[in-house]
């Protein structure tokens, strides 16, 4: 393999990693505050992609279509939290059944509305180009996705550590009852965080569609990888998910180039390896071996 | 200002508050004493909405609050300094103070608390404003818990054993703070194990046993009544 192809694969791996990061970050933040593993998060990603596809077919430009999809996904997340999940706090089994059940509902709805043949979105014209530096040619859109992923990470860092909302969410993770005794309605915070996570999944789905295409079963692919990322990174930390997502995105992409039938095995080997060294995950707090 | 009528609170099937009634008047400090397990914290939590009573009524000013969620009760102007302090360890000292900050609900003669004023009252907190909440001594954490409640600019303060685990010098300081808050117009319900702290700051004392008020009077009367002290407070 020559250098140019290797670089393209690396960028592709990074871009995929960033898409996974936006999903996994939502999973970890929701898990951290609400103690809920949202198994339907992959389905939200998929819906984000299909929404974007539909709005583009309605002759909206890509960016507007993406924006509307993100907002709709946030609203969908808010509805799921307010009307379904809020009855099930503290009941793990019910949460698993609910979010697992939502996967079936959403995947069937997608098949019903959009059919089961794969769809594709073309790369927005502005970014449909290649950038050549020396002998290496980079696909610009993938680079752009990497930049967006880093920008999301930066935004999360800023919100978490520099804003009052961030402090409220951290305090809610520490002691939500004390938080409410200080006059803060944590139900609203829960709904907001879930909506934010769903919006990020939608962003990932819309941004990813031009690269990955749209097909039934795509939700499952990203859900499994995102759960692996969450475990690798250390459950309640989106910072861990950032590193975990880069690792998993690279291993998955390069693995498919070099060992096409083993890429999933490689990812689980990576997970086992990291957990052997650090059982609580890369950035996890808690008992270490 | 605060009034409890026949309050019954349960944990699952255990009946903890068994028809509790008392009231606290405006601008006064009322102390609630009783042995471990008497139900003092449960009383505080019932008022704050954390363990809502199953029966009975609680009024704050004219508002019935016994079935309101905790955040509403807090917004009415009831501040909580909880037992065990419950500082947020993931927040810095400064964030512990600024995160819950809110304006007073109504304009009164109460002092309006700001970050600067909390720092003036507790200079040790300013020196450590960038420490995480759990990187403080027990005494400093207690100051932080008091400061955090004051930042919500309450009209009424619930304090649950603020002297717990503190050295005598610091306990005296807590007493000074409570007197100062009272002079600023704050009404206080103070739960204490420390009889002398309670009697030195309170206008009225309630003694609680097995979820009921069993004695009520002035601090002087309690200090003179060895039988009550012995029977209910184990002095
Ligand atoms: N979460 C809970 N679940 C079940 N029972 C509880 C719970 N919290 C307290 N209790 C019980 O309620 C009773 C009253 O407890 P409470 O905490 O109100 O006592 P207290 O007067 O504050 O005691 P202390 O001085 O030790 O703080 C005790 O018998 C206790 O065992
Ligand atoms: Mg107690």
């Amino acid at each position: 393999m020559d250098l140019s192809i290797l670089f393209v694969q690396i960028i592709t791996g990074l871009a995929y990693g960033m898409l996974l990061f936006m999903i996994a970050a939502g999973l970890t933040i929701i898990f951290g505050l609400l103690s809920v593993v949202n198994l339907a998060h992959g389905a939200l990603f998929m819906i984000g992609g299909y929404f974007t596809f539909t709005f583009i077919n309605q002759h909206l430009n890509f960016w507007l279509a993406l924006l509307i999809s993100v907002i709709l996904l946030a609203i969908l997340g808010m509805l799921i939290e307010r009307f379904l999940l809020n009855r099930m706090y503290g009941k793990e089994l019910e949460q698993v059944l609910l979010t697992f059940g939502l996967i079936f509902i959403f995947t069937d709805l997608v098949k019903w509305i959009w059919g089961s043949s794969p769809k594709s979105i073309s790369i927005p014209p502005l970014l449909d180009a290649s950038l050549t530096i020396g002998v290496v040619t980079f696909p610009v859109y993938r680079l752009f996705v990497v930049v967006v992923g880093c920008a999301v990470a930066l935004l999360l860092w800023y919100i978490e550590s520099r804003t009052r909302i961030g402090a409220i969410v951290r305090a809610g993770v520490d002691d939500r009852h004390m938080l409410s005794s200080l006059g803060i309605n944590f139900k609203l915070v829960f709904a907001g965080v879930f909506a934010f996570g769903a919006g990020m999944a939608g962003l990932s789905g819309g941004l990813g569609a031009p690269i990955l295409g749209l097909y039934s079963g795509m939700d499952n692919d990203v859900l499994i990888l995102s759960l692996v990322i969450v475990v690798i990174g250390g459950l309640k930390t989106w910072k861990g998910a950032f590193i975990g997502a880069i690792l998993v995105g690279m291993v998955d992409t390069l693995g498919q180039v070099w060992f096409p039938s083993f890429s999933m095995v490689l990812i689980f080997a990576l997970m086992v390896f990291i957990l052997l060294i650090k059982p609580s995950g890369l950035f996890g707090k808690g008992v270490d071996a | 200002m605060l009034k409890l009528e026949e309050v019954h609170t349960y944990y699952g099937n255990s009946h903890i508050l068994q028809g509790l009634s008392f009231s606290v008047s405006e601008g006064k400090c009322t102390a609630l004493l009783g042995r471990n397990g008497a139900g003092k914290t449960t009383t505080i939590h019932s008022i704050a909405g954390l363990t809502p009573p199953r029966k009975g009524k609680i009024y704050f000013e004219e508002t019935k609050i016994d079935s309101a969620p905790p955040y509403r009760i807090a917004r009415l102007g009831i501040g909580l300094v909880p037992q065990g302090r419950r500082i947020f360890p993931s927040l810095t000292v400064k964030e512990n103070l600024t995160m819950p900050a809110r304006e007073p609900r109504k304009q009164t003669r109460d002092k309006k608390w700001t970050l600067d004023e909390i720092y003036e009252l507790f200079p040790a907190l300013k020196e450590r404003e960038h420490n995480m909440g759990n990187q403080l001594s027990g005494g400093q954490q207690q100051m932080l818990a008091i400061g955090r409640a004051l930042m919500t600019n309450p009209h009424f303060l619930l304090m649950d054993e603020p002297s717990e685990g503190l050295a005598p010098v610091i306990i005296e300081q807590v007493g000074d703070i409570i007197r100062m808050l009272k002079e600023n117009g704050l009404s206080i319900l103070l739960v204490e194990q420390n009889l002398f702290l309670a009697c030195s700051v309170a206008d009225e004392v309630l003694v609680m046993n097995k979820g009921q008020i069993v004695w009520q009077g002035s601090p002087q009367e309690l200090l003179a009544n060895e039988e009550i002290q012995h029977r209910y407070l184990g002095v």
Side-chain angles (χ1 to χ4, degrees):
Chain A
M1 177 154 62
D2 72 40
L3 201 61
S4 182
I5 296 178
L6 178 67
F7 268 99
V8 171
Q9 291 305 332
I10 289 176
I11 289 294
T12 303
L14 279 177
Y16 192 40
M18 290 301 148
L19 294 172
L20 293 172
F21 162 65
M22 289 178 235
I23 305 167
L27 275 174
T28 61
I29 296 171
I30 290 170
F31 181 63
L33 184 66
L34 288 65
S35 303
V36 170
V37 179
N38 178 26
L39 296 174
H41 223 63
L44 296 175
F45 160 87
M46 173 173 68
I47 295 173
Y50 276 96
F51 275 1
T52 309
F53 168 81
T54 298
F55 294 128
I56 288 175
N57 275 3
Q58 302 297 316
H59 307 292
L60 293 186
N61 78 40
F62 178 81
W63 307 107
L64 197 57
L66 186 63
L67 179 70
I68 298 174
S69 304
V70 170
I71 293 170
L72 287 179
L73 261 291
I75 294 172
L76 179 61
M78 176 91 69
L79 296 176
I80 292 174
E81 197 283 332
R82 270 310 60 210
F83 291 104
L84 301 172
L85 210 52
N86 78 331
R87 295 150 207 267
M88 296 174 192
Y89 287 123
K91 303 178 193 163
E92 279 85 9
L93 184 62
E94 283 87 341
Q95 291 165 2
V96 170
L97 289 176
L98 170 73
T99 56
F100 201 62
L102 285 175
I103 296 179
F104 290 107
I105 295 175
F106 288 145
T107 46
D108 278 356
L109 276 176
V110 165
K111 272 187 212 151
W112 185 48
I113 299 172
W114 287 282
S116 35
S117 63
K119 303 275 181 296
S120 63
I121 295 179
S122 45
I123 292 176
L126 188 66
L127 298 173
D128 191 9
S130 304
L131 185 69
T132 305
I133 303 175
V135 292
V136 190
T137 303
F138 298 103
V140 170
Y141 185 72
R142 281 160 213 225
L143 270 178
F144 172 76
V145 170
V146 175
V147 172
V148 172
C150 294
V152 167
L154 212 64
L155 181 74
L156 284 177
W157 168 82
Y158 180 80
I159 294 176
E160 184 186 47
S161 60
R162 291 286 181 273
T163 67
R164 177 155 183 258
I165 298 281
I168 289 175
V169 171
R170 276 179 286 143
V173 173
D174 286 344
D175 186 342
R176 69 173 77 140
H177 297 295
M178 190 60 229
L179 185 65
S180 63
S181 281
L182 291 167
I184 288 152
N185 181 357
F186 68 71
K187 287 185 179 172
L188 214 64
V189 182
F190 276 25
V193 161
F194 201 91
F196 187 81
M200 273 205 295
L203 176 65
S204 177
L207 273 181
I211 304 177
L212 305 170
L214 297 166
Y215 54 94
S216 60
M218 65 187 297
D219 58 319
N220 230 340
D221 295 351
V222 296
L223 178 69
I224 291 167
L225 292 181
S226 304
L227 290 174
V228 169
I229 290 166
V230 170
V231 172
I232 288 179
L235 297 189
K236 296 189 174 183
T237 140
W238 64 265
K239 288 171 191 152
F242 187 72
I243 306 297
I246 291 176
L247 288 174
V248 169
M250 293 300 270
V251 169
D252 188 68
T253 305
L254 296 180
Q256 277 178 20
V257 176
W258 285 318
F259 316 98
S261 41
F262 288 109
S263 72
M264 218 50 205
V265 176
L266 284 178
I267 284 169
F268 282 101
L270 172 74
M271 179 168 92
V272 170
F273 177 72
I274 286 174
L275 293 187
L276 280 175
I277 304 172
K278 199 154 179 304
S280 59
L282 291 173
F283 283 61
K285 296 186 196 121
V287 271
D288 280 337
Chain B
M1 182 166 212
L2 180 79
K3 191 167 177 201
L4 283 78
E5 287 175 5
E6 284 292 312
V7 167
H8 293 262
T9 300
Y10 295 72
Y11 283 112
N13 284 327
S14 34
H15 193 178
I16 308 295
L17 300 187
Q18 311 188 353
L20 186 67
S21 305
F22 67 85
S23 57
V24 181
S25 21
E26 178 146 17
K28 293 282 191 296
C29 175
T30 302
L32 181 62
L33 307 181
R35 289 196 173 158
N36 291 116
K40 304 182 299 296
T41 298
T42 309
T43 305
I44 296 276
H45 284 183
S46 296
I47 297 166
L50 294 169
T51 56
R54 207 176 285 178
K55 261 191 349 208
K57 296 190 176 77
I58 304 178
Y59 293 95
F60 176 63
E61 294 169 332
E62 307 304 58
T63 318
K64 192 165 159 314
I65 58 168
D66 47 74
S67 48
Y71 76 92
R72 282 247 173 78
I73 295 173
R75 286 180 193 179
L76 287 174
I78 298 185
L80 173 64
V81 181
Q83 186 166 17
R85 293 134 203 170
R86 294 171 70 171
I87 297 304
F88 300 113
S90 310
L91 271 56
T92 62
V93 168
K94 187 177 176 183
E95 285 172 328
N96 265 284
L97 293 168
T98 52
M99 185 271 291
R102 76 177 58 243
E103 296 286 308
R105 189 170 58 93
K106 47 179 194 194
Q107 295 307 319
T108 55
R109 64 205 158 86
D110 301 17
K111 188 185 177 81
K112 183 169 169 271
W113 291 97
T114 60
L115 185 63
D116 287 338
E117 273 167 286
I118 300 294
Y119 281 161
E120 204 174 300
L121 186 60
F122 305 120
L125 296 183
K126 182 164 177 63
E127 282 164 35
R128 291 167 184 77
E129 66 175 350
H130 297 298
N131 284 20
M132 299 312 282
N134 52 1
Q135 300 169 328
L136 290 179
S137 73
Q140 291 159 354
Q141 287 194 23
Q142 190 61 60
M143 304 306 159
L144 183 54
I146 295 172
R148 182 179 64 180
L150 291 177
M151 287 296 284
T152 67
N153 278 299
H155 304 301
F156 191 99
L157 201 56
L158 300 166
M159 301 180 91
D160 197 348
E161 301 205 28
S163 74
E164 197 179 28
L166 301 183
V169 200
I170 315 275
I171 294 182
E172 256 173 59
Q173 206 184 329
V174 170
D176 292 340
I177 291 162
I178 295 173
R179 275 186 288 269
M180 183 274 296
L181 293 176
K182 211 170 66 176
E183 273 162 33
N184 278 310
L186 208 62
S187 322
I188 299 170
L189 178 62
L190 171 71
V191 162
E192 260 306 329
Q193 296 270 357
N194 186 319
L195 176 66
F196 300 100
L197 172 64
C199 289
S200 74
V201 298
D203 303 291
E204 190 178 23
V205 182
L206 306 167
V207 176
M208 180 168 193
N209 191 41
K210 294 193 181 145
Q212 287 174 328
I213 300 295
V214 290
W215 186 89
Q216 185 165 356
S218 70
Q220 295 74 15
E221 286 170 310
L222 181 62
L223 289 171
N225 192 333
E226 292 193 358
E227 197 223 319
I228 293 290
Q229 288 184 29
H230 181 74
R231 181 138 49 115
Y232 296 119
L233 306 176
V235 180

